[in-house]
Amino acid sequence: MKSNLSLFTVFGVAITLLVNAASAAELASNPAAAEINKICPISGKPADPNITVVYEGKKYAFSEDACRKKFNEARENSIYHKLGGKAAIDAAVESFYLKVLADDRIKHYFDDISMTKQRRKQKEFLSAALGGPIPWAGKDLRAAHANLPGLNETHFKAVAENLQKTLEELKVKKELIDQVMAIAASTRDEVLNRPKKAK
Ligand code: HEM
């Protein structure tokens, strides 16, 4: 038992070193990724450039070690991470909009929209909504959809169906799909510009 544990420890350290080496190489080849935040994303206090973590090629600094720990836990527990992180969300959004643009119930809404921008925004939005590390900095969903004529429940349902189908095709576990769909459903009132529910 004891020897098994130490074997695990050795493997654990080796894997950590490999991951750190890969992250360092990524940072070296991508100067933008080396830019570091001045404010701790957890505490809102000034970040210490010596307390950092690299996640998906981007370096994050924290005000104290407890914040770094909290950040790492949030990442590991997020739906975003469980889905496979940036690569998985990017692939899902690409496939999702292929379906949306082929869906006669809703495709007309995107006639005059730059789909390059739309795909980028949706990747950013979904990443943030599913617990990714970068907060959503775009429009709130009420404002984003306020000028779409006649937008109603049927359109919302069509979008949700396309999202669900995308995740099923990507063989995402049902439990995770249900979690993603619950988050999508939680945007309904804003997207359809319905009054906010009283708390
Ligand atoms: C789960 C529901 C939905 C989510 C999470 C969602 C998310 C988003 C996001 C993040 C944007 C970009 C906002 C920005 O510009 O900063 C956007 C824009 C847009 N969405 Fe949605 N959306 C949803 C439902 C729908 C539905 C049901 C339709 C119509 C069928 C729709 C059509 C559009 C269009 C046309 C735009 C571009 C608006 C513009 O640039 O003027 N969305 N959506």
Side-chain angles (χ1 to χ4, degrees), residues 36 39 69 73 92 98 105 111 118 126 128 141 150-151 189 193:
I36 192 161
I39 299 295
K69 196 163 167 258
E73 281 169 4
L98 288 180
R105 295 172 294 179
D111 281 351
Q118 184 64 17
L126 275 184
L141 293 187
L151 196 64
D189 288 347
N193 204 8

Side-chain angles (χ1 to χ4, degrees), residues 96-97 100 105-114 117-118 121-126 129 136-141 143-145 147-148 151-160 163 183-188 191-192:
F96 166 71
Y97 276 121
V100 167
R105 295 172 294 179
I106 48 177
K107 63 182 184 188
H108 55 284
Y109 279 109
F110 297 89
D111 281 351
D112 300 324
I113 300 296
S114 156
K117 280 190 195 158
Q118 184 64 17
K121 288 177 189 175
Q122 193 62 271
K123 286 170 188 172
E124 290 172 1
F125 176 82
L126 275 184
W136 169 240
K139 289 182 192 162
D140 77 69
L141 293 187
H145 300 87
N147 297 323
L148 301 185
L151 196 64
N152 65 32
E153 184 62 43
T154 311
H155 304 121
F156 190 90
K157 194 165 167 267
V159 160
L163 181 59
I183 289 175
S186 74
T187 69
R188 179 185 272 103
V191 169
L192 298 181

